[in-house]
């Protein structure tokens, strides 16, 4: 099988992201330690984020607003203006944080861009994701960039149509079973799962419920060899 | 001249937007009336928004965070959690507000979609703009939708290239001289300016400094006749 378009998720596939969110969550728990234990702060924050997704979508600005709401709720409104400014400043720091590529990303993307058409395909805040791509230093290797508000099977079908590739010519590479792997397969594409060290609870999928077939690699650095193997298999047939 | 692609700005061109922002600004001034006069609240809010644009980009979530920062600054941190929750609730209300089309939009877009390829081309928050388009009831008339983080000449050149139209085949219709008219012309396109009743201070342009040529209509309802006149002119030549 020859893939004519390889799409990469960005957050936690090309660069670190979830670890930064979790670090800020710990700071929020520390800020509220006189009111509630850390586990409860994190549970209420997740509940607020989940409630707000339909209005705020994904991204750091929505996360920041959800942190503020959680702090107000958990202190029954007693949180002070200075503490809320602190929370906004965490959000601003996240938005400006240096983009840290995962191991092997630069080499793999550089190499594959010579043999394949590469796409960056990410959900989240348009402004934030464009800014991260610009700061990543690897933008030039992607022939196309698609930033979408949600990644479901219909999103993948639309992307394939817009870029004129058949489903069996499309490969998705990402860390999220829920957003990258299962919907890409549902749209007829292929998928390679590369787990990240941390997963946002919202993206969690119970693997025992999955019947789809996809490859799983430990590192993006294994992708070129995996692709070469797919090519061999096609020649043998 | 025949336009092969007509792109429409969305906020304050197809549907009301700035008036909603200004209404919430008045509510913020009311909330802070014991601290500062309305003019000063609005001036500080604009300064905070402008400072935050580089990190937050355009949109309601960034506006909400800027309102919170302004309230904290102008009360020297004395603003309470309940008041801040009130500000977040205004933001949420804005995100869910019904989309109110401007007069003549539905008829004009319906009619022009039969003779031209139409695009919706807007800057702002991806999630919010997609949501508004979905709620607008006119999404079906647009062959393409482009949501971008900033509208400058390069943005327009990229859009023309991606959609395979020459600059002289591209017409931009919008209310903002700064975002819709001047950069579209700088990229070689044509532009029709349809002013809205209110303009965000950030988008203001001193018209005496403008030397570019563009048409100005009072209402989008005049657009089909204007287009017909352009066609006649081309035939006469």
């Amino acid at each position: 099988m020859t893939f004519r378009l390889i799409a990469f998720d960005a957050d936690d596939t090309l660069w670190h992201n979830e670890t930064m969110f979790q670090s800020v969550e710990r700071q929020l728990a520390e800020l509220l330690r006189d009111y509630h234990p850390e586990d409860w702060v994190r549970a209420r924050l997740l509940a607020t984020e989940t409630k707000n997704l339909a209005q705020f979508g994904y991204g750091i600005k929505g996360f920041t607003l959800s942190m503020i709401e959680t702090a107000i709720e958990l202190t029954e409104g007693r949180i002070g203006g200075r503490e809320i400014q602190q929370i906004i400043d965490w959000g601003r720091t996240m938005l400006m944080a240096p983009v840290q590529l995962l191991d092997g990303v630069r080499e793999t993307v550089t190499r594959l861009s010579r043999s394949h058409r590469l796409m960056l395909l990410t959900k989240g805040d348009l402004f934030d994701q464009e800014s991260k791509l610009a700061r990543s230093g690897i933008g030039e290797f992607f022939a196309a960039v698609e930033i979408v508000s949600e990644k479901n099977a219909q999103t993948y079908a639309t992307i394939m149509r817009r870029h004129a590739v058949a489903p069996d010519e499309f490969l998705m590479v990402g860390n999220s079973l829920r957003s990258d792997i299962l919907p890409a397969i549902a749209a007829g594409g292929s998928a390679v799962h590369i787990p990240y060290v941390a997963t946002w609870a919202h993206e969690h999928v119970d693997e025992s419920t999955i019947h789809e077939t996809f490859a799983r690699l430990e590192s993006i650095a294994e992708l070129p060899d995996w692709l070469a193997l797919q090519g061999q298999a096609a020649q043998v047939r």
Side-chain angles (χ1 to χ4, degrees), chain A:
Chain A
M1 184 187 317
T2 307
F3 297 113
R4 284 187 50 229
L5 183 60
I6 305 179
F8 291 86
D9 171 56
D11 290 342
D12 298 332
T13 297
L14 298 179
W15 50 66
H16 293 280
N17 182 65
E18 179 61 21
T19 42
M20 178 173 72
F21 276 81
Q22 294 191 354
S23 157
V24 171
E25 283 177 24
R26 280 192 295 274
Q27 291 179 273
L28 181 70
E30 180 65 26
L31 183 73
L32 302 174
R33 64 180 294 177
D34 292 344
Y35 297 90
H36 295 282
E38 173 164 353
D39 282 357
W40 183 240
V41 172
R42 296 173 79 115
R44 290 311 307 158
L45 175 59
L46 179 62
T48 305
E49 283 183 88
T50 305
K51 177 197 74 172
N52 284 338
L53 264 186
Q55 287 109 41
F56 294 169
Y58 299 95
I60 292 172
K61 284 176 287 184
F63 175 68
T64 305
L65 288 166
S66 291
M67 283 198 291
I68 296 172
E69 282 203 299
T70 304
I72 294 170
E73 177 202 329
L74 290 182
T75 64
E76 295 175 345
R78 283 172 294 175
I79 186 97
R82 299 288 175 217
E83 285 75 35
I84 290 182
Q85 183 61 54
Q86 179 67 61
I87 294 172
I88 296 179
D89 290 340
W90 293 336
R92 187 179 283 113
T93 301
M94 291 175 80
L95 287 166
M96 297 193 300
V99 174
Q100 296 188 297
L101 296 183
L102 270 70
D103 285 346
V105 163
R106 182 180 301 280
E107 299 74 12
T108 304
V109 165
T110 304
R111 180 170 160 192
L112 290 180
S113 72
R114 297 191 195 116
S115 52
H116 291 79
R117 216 164 122 228
L118 307 187
M119 170 187 284
L120 186 136
L121 173 50
T122 174
K123 72 174 187 278
D125 187 273
L126 175 67
F127 186 83
D128 186 27
Q129 294 290 11
E130 281 190 358
S131 162
K132 280 194 281 194
L133 181 62
R135 283 176 286 149
S136 72
I138 56 172
E140 62 182 301
F141 301 114
F142 295 94
V145 175
E146 292 277 359
I147 301 171
V148 297
S149 58
E150 189 61 88
K151 279 175 170 173
N152 51 38
Q154 202 192 328
T155 313
Y156 285 95
T158 303
I159 296 281
M160 291 173 197
R161 218 168 28 240
R162 187 182 304 160
H163 293 270
V165 294
D168 63 2
E169 299 169 326
F170 178 86
L171 176 67
M172 180 70 200
V173 179
N175 73 297
S176 168
L177 290 170
R178 176 183 174 141
S179 297
D180 302 319
I181 309 305
L182 300 181
I185 293 171
S190 301
V192 169
H193 184 220
I194 307 178
Y196 184 66
V197 289
T199 303
W200 181 27
H202 175 73
E203 297 283 337
H204 183 74
V205 173
D206 177 1
E207 294 216 19
S208 70
T209 64
I210 298 179
H211 304 290
E212 286 80 358
T213 305
F214 56 88
R216 179 171 285 155
L217 302 179
E218 277 194 24
S219 159
I220 198 169
E222 301 168 12
L223 191 57
D225 283 350
W226 181 86
L227 281 166
L229 278 174
Q230 307 305 305
Q232 274 190 323
Q235 283 176 353
V236 171
R237 252 180 260 141

